Amino acid sequence: MPYTVFIREPDADFFVITNLLQELGYHQKTLNDYSYFIEHRENTVQVAMDKTVTFYINEQLSLPALETVRRMIVDVKNRAGGMISETDYHIGYLQDGTKTSLFCNWERWISLLHAARFNAIQDTHVRVYDTMYNQLGEGVLLSYDTAEDAEGIIRISSCRLKTEEGTCKLSASPHVIVEATGEWIEPEKA
C-alpha cells in the first residue's frame, strides 16, 4: 500500500499544477487521465478537478529517493499554494518512540538516521562527494563536523580523512556526502 500525501486547496489552477508537475519530470499516463508518474511508476500523482494533488509514494523507496520526493512535494506546495496533509502512516520512529512521516517529525528522524550512519562509518574507508556527486577524495574517515542544512537536517559539513598522502580535510557547500566503500582496510594501514 503506497504512502499518500495530499496538497489540498492550492491557489494555482488545474493547468498550472499539471504544467508544474511536468516541469518536475512527471509524465502524463494517458491523454484523458489526470494521473502522472515519475521514476518507473514508483511515485504517481493524481490531480483532481477540484485541484487536490494526491501523491502516491511507493513504500519501498530508498531514503535518498524519499528525500527527493519530499523536496518535490514541498516545491509543488510552495509554487501552487495549499496545505499538505498525509494519510495515517509512519515511516519510522524517534528515540522516544514518536512516529515520523514525510511531514511530521521528518527533520528530527532524518537527523537521527544520519547521526547513526555517521557514527557507523567512522574509521572505515569512504569516498567523499559534493552534492553534485563530484568525488572530492577517499580514505579512512577519521572525524567529521556537522551542521544543520536549510531544512533543519543535520549533514556532514566537513570531514578529515587519512589518505595515502597523509591526512586531509574536505568540505563543500552546502554539505558533503560521505559513503562507505565496503573495502576492508588492514588495521596497520588505517
Side-chain angles (χ1 to χ4, degrees), residues 34-50:
Y34 298 111
S35 295
Y36 296 80
F37 68 92
I38 195 167
E39 295 178 9
H40 309 291
R41 300 181 190 256
E42 290 183 345
N43 174 18
T44 61
V45 180
Q46 190 165 35
V47 183
M49 292 309 285
D50 71 356

Side-chain angles (χ1 to χ4, degrees), residues 117-118 120-129 133 135-141 161-164 170 177-186 190:
R117 184 176 154 273
F118 300 157
I121 64 174
Q122 194 162 355
D123 297 322
T124 64
H125 191 262
V126 298
R127 288 192 185 95
V128 180
Y129 303 91
Y133 271 90
Q135 186 172 331
L136 303 175
E138 69 178 283
V140 175
L141 179 63
L161 301 180
K162 182 175 183 180
T163 66
E164 291 179 1
L170 301 173
I177 298 167
V178 180
E179 294 183 350
T181 63
E183 296 173 30
W184 172 252
I185 305 298
E186 294 180 32

Side-chain angles (χ1 to χ4, degrees), residues 113-177:
L113 292 180
H114 283 308
R117 184 176 154 273
F118 300 157
N119 289 334
I121 64 174
Q122 194 162 355
D123 297 322
T124 64
H125 191 262
V126 298
R127 288 192 185 95
V128 180
Y129 303 91
D130 64 16
T131 54
M132 300 302 292
Y133 271 90
N134 297 308
Q135 186 172 331
L136 303 175
E138 69 178 283
V140 175
L141 179 63
L142 299 175
S143 64
Y144 58 87
D145 298 310
T146 60
E148 271 190 21
D149 68 8
E151 295 178 358
I153 296 171
I154 303 295
R155 305 279 187 178
I156 294 180
S157 56
S158 65
C159 63
R160 200 166 58 88
L161 301 180
K162 182 175 183 180
T163 66
E164 291 179 1
E165 294 81 33
T167 60
C168 67
K169 185 172 183 173
L170 301 173
S171 62
S173 183
H175 59 84
V176 295
I177 298 167

Side-chain angles (χ1 to χ4, degrees), residues 23-157:
E23 266 181 49
L24 292 171
Y26 285 87
H27 306 284
Q28 192 168 1
K29 285 183 178 180
T30 64
L31 276 176
N32 295 327
D33 185 0
Y34 298 111
S35 295
Y36 296 80
F37 68 92
I38 195 167
E39 295 178 9
H40 309 291
R41 300 181 190 256
E42 290 183 345
N43 174 18
T44 61
V45 180
Q46 190 165 35
V47 183
M49 292 309 285
D50 71 356
K51 304 185 299 186
T52 297
V53 183
T54 307
F55 292 83
Y56 300 98
I57 304 160
N58 182 325
E59 60 189 19
Q60 301 300 317
L61 287 181
S62 67
L63 186 58
L66 272 176
E67 289 181 293
T68 299
V69 167
R70 185 180 188 282
R71 276 192 299 275
M72 291 174 113
I73 293 170
V74 168
D75 191 25
V76 171
K77 187 257 181 217
N78 288 343
R79 293 170 65 185
M83 301 171 298
I84 292 176
S85 66
E86 302 174 277
T87 54
D88 187 26
Y89 73 91
H90 64 279
I91 56 177
Y93 296 92
L94 299 177
Q95 287 178 311
D96 65 3
T98 304
K99 292 179 180 179
T100 62
S101 66
L102 278 177
F103 295 95
C104 181
N105 297 313
W106 171 262
E107 292 83 4
R108 290 176 51 207
W109 182 67
I110 287 295
S111 293
L112 177 74
L113 292 180
H114 283 308
R117 184 176 154 273
F118 300 157
N119 289 334
I121 64 174
Q122 194 162 355
D123 297 322
T124 64
H125 191 262
V126 298
R127 288 192 185 95
V128 180
Y129 303 91
D130 64 16
T131 54
M132 300 302 292
Y133 271 90
N134 297 308
Q135 186 172 331
L136 303 175
E138 69 178 283
V140 175
L141 179 63
L142 299 175
S143 64
Y144 58 87
D145 298 310
T146 60
E148 271 190 21
D149 68 8
E151 295 178 358
I153 296 171
I154 303 295
R155 305 279 187 178
I156 294 180
S157 56

